[in-house]
Amino acid sequence: MSTEARPDRAPARLSPRTIALYAVGSVGTGGYATLPGLVLTYFLTDNLGVAALAAGLIVTLAKVWDVLIDPLIGAASDRQLARTGSRRGFMVVGAVTLPVFFALTFAVPPAWGPVAGALCVLLAFLATATAFSLFQVPYVALPAELTSGYDERTRLLGWRVVVLTAAILLFGAGGPALRTAAPDPVAGYLLMGVAAGLAIGVGMLIASRTAAATGDDPARPREPEASSAWREQYLSGFRALRRSQPFRALLATFLLQALATGTMLAGAQYVATWVLRSEDAVTLVFVALVGPALLATPAWTVVARRLGKERAFAIASCLFLLAALSLVAAVWSPGGWMYAAVAVAGIAYAGLQSLPMAMLPDVISHDERSSRPGQAGTFTGIWTAGETVGFALGATAVSLTLAATGYVSTVAGEAVAQPPAAITGIVLSFSVLPAALMAASLATLRRYRLRREDIEALQTTDA
């Protein structure tokens, strides 16, 4: 089939209500992905006095826990869909419990000491991560079941990313603002945790209603897993990886890019404090990042329609690489020009979020031709685990860089001076490191072979 060919029966257009309900879920996704990545390591090192290496280990351990449970949640979500016809149950549980655990993560006072404080933060963040996974894994599985249309999936995920970028702006700028609104840092972090946790939970709860919606590709009969054993659930994920070459290529690309963006996210607060010399500058960094991204998402949808999702994805990746690499000049000449470079990265970031998420349902549909349907949760469990690994290792990479360059941790209210080597390490973790990771992701993206005609051929076959 040529690239211009179209199936005889075009997929039905998704209703505005379905798109809106699904997109609201990104309020939760954006909040959870932004605030812990932005301020948790800084909260540990500069509020509780936890050593940089230990702070990075805490964040990493919580993310490793995500990696362990996400495939299990994915397989359980598939079984719930087969049994009840909906993935909503897990999503609701996650939405209701996350606000409590999120607030507790930032409720630890410095008076408890670094060791006790670090342990309490770890336990609370583990519980937060579990609640988020209960929502996120089935949430990511829904697009493959809401529509079979190649462009409709881009449209659905495009609007999701519009909300996601707005949420990143809201939490990235509003979170630090709430932190400084209270009379002292301890109360500020608690206020931020409570307010942000509630906003995240409400967004997740609203989006859970999408699980009951029906797209143009109604759920076909699904068989439950033959075995509920943990080993079988993990093996089902590995089997999906082994049989689907497009999934392996897309997942590897997304993991590397999550690692790249994770390093920039974890380093943003340090750049604001020690390079731009203002804790409040982190708000301006997020405005520079997310403002252009909010406007650019519809443009990436247009580019994907004309060139294909994979080519648009490659263009966005190259743009982000160049923007990140330019920031290395801040080692010698930091200043306001950095916001312009971050803004270019923000334009690219919109594509990096929407395009791979629009490609994942294509991968799942393609796999269903050679395997049985009803395994979207298995794919998204592995996908979410891979994304988690990327963001976890991003924070770890920043922490290792800080430790290696002599970063000095402190507690709330104390003033310290950082050695020049630590300042250089902060800049490199915000520029060269993400640029190198983005370059590596382009190599894996070249191995992604699904094109528009492949997906539309499936629609023609099913017509």
Side-chain angles (χ1 to χ4, degrees), residues 31-239:
Y32 178 81
T34 300
L35 269 186
L38 177 65
V39 302
L40 185 55
T41 303
Y42 188 79
F43 171 68
L44 289 162
T45 59
D46 285 53
N47 191 70
L48 300 183
V50 178
L53 192 60
L57 181 61
I58 289 171
V59 176
T60 301
L61 286 175
K63 297 302 184 179
V64 167
W65 172 248
D66 268 346
V67 172
L68 294 176
I69 65 172
D70 284 350
L72 300 179
I73 291 173
S77 178
D78 285 340
R79 292 199 306 275
Q80 183 183 68
L81 178 65
R83 187 176 64 254
T84 68
S86 173
R87 299 183 185 273
R88 188 180 183 188
F90 282 5
M91 297 172 71
V92 171
V93 172
V96 171
T97 57
L98 183 139
V100 176
F101 298 130
F102 192 90
L104 290 175
T105 300
F106 294 99
V108 180
W112 289 8
V115 176
L119 180 60
C120 290
V121 169
L122 173 61
L123 293 176
F125 196 48
L126 283 174
T128 304
T130 303
F132 181 73
S133 290
L134 287 172
F135 168 82
Q136 181 71 359
V137 172
Y139 176 67
V140 175
L142 291 178
E145 297 159 355
L146 291 173
T147 178
S148 63
Y150 180 89
D151 289 325
E152 277 299 281
R153 288 168 177 169
T154 306
R155 175 171 166 251
L156 174 66
L157 274 301
W159 281 109
R160 178 202 164 187
V161 172
V162 168
V163 177
L164 176 66
T165 51
I168 291 173
L169 178 60
L170 172 66
F171 288 97
L178 283 174
R179 181 185 60 188
T180 58
D184 62 83
V186 177
Y189 275 109
L190 179 58
L191 174 63
M192 182 192 73
V194 172
L198 286 173
I200 292 170
V202 169
M204 292 162 62
L205 193 61
I206 292 173
S208 68
R209 299 177 62 189
T210 316
T214 301
D216 70 293
D217 188 21
R220 288 165 285 184
R222 290 167 168 83
E223 301 175 10
E225 292 288 340
S227 170
S228 61
W230 288 18
R231 180 175 179 273
E232 173 61 26
Q233 293 176 23
Y234 282 119
L235 287 176
S236 66
F238 289 122
R239 284 194 290 267

Side-chain angles (χ1 to χ4, degrees), residues 135-434:
F135 168 82
Q136 181 71 359
V137 172
Y139 176 67
V140 175
L142 291 178
E145 297 159 355
L146 291 173
T147 178
S148 63
Y150 180 89
D151 289 325
E152 277 299 281
R153 288 168 177 169
T154 306
R155 175 171 166 251
L156 174 66
L157 274 301
W159 281 109
R160 178 202 164 187
V161 172
V162 168
V163 177
L164 176 66
T165 51
I168 291 173
L169 178 60
L170 172 66
F171 288 97
L178 283 174
R179 181 185 60 188
T180 58
D184 62 83
V186 177
Y189 275 109
L190 179 58
L191 174 63
M192 182 192 73
V194 172
L198 286 173
I200 292 170
V202 169
M204 292 162 62
L205 193 61
I206 292 173
S208 68
R209 299 177 62 189
T210 316
T214 301
D216 70 293
D217 188 21
R220 288 165 285 184
R222 290 167 168 83
E223 301 175 10
E225 292 288 340
S227 170
S228 61
W230 288 18
R231 180 175 179 273
E232 173 61 26
Q233 293 176 23
Y234 282 119
L235 287 176
S236 66
F238 289 122
R239 284 194 290 267
L241 274 172
R242 184 174 61 248
R243 69 175 178 263
S244 177
Q245 188 278 333
F247 185 50
R248 292 195 302 273
L250 187 61
L251 179 62
T253 302
F254 194 66
L255 190 155
L256 287 167
Q257 295 193 356
L259 179 53
T261 55
T263 58
M264 293 192 76
L265 185 64
Q269 181 68 76
Y270 294 98
V271 168
T273 302
W274 299 110
V275 180
L276 296 172
R277 297 295 176 178
S278 170
E279 284 194 3
D280 295 335
V282 70
T283 300
L284 297 178
V285 170
F286 262 81
V287 170
L289 176 68
V290 180
L294 198 59
L295 300 174
T297 299
W300 287 116
T301 301
V302 173
V303 174
R305 283 179 179 272
R306 294 184 177 181
L307 301 181
K309 299 175 192 178
E310 71 289 340
R311 292 179 182 173
F313 192 20
I315 293 170
S317 302
C318 290
L319 187 62
F320 188 94
L321 188 160
L322 294 174
L325 192 59
S326 70
L327 287 165
V328 72
V331 171
W332 304 280
S333 180
W337 65 267
M338 296 173 64
Y339 297 119
V342 171
V344 174
I347 294 173
Y349 182 72
L352 300 184
Q353 288 294 303
S354 62
L355 295 168
M357 293 301 298
M359 294 158 74
L360 179 60
D362 296 339
V363 170
I364 295 172
S365 296
H366 181 264
D367 177 76
E368 286 184 345
R369 303 302 302 174
S370 58
S371 181
R372 63 181 175 81
Q375 299 186 86
T378 298
F379 276 86
T380 57
I382 296 294
W383 179 269
T384 306
E387 180 182 19
T388 298
V389 168
F391 279 112
L393 293 181
T396 303
V398 172
S399 299
L400 290 173
T401 303
L402 295 179
T405 53
Y407 186 84
V408 181
S409 298
T410 186
V411 296
E414 290 187 2
V416 298
Q418 299 295 342
I423 306 299
T424 299
I426 290 170
V427 174
L428 294 180
S429 66
F430 196 69
S431 57
V432 173
L433 183 55

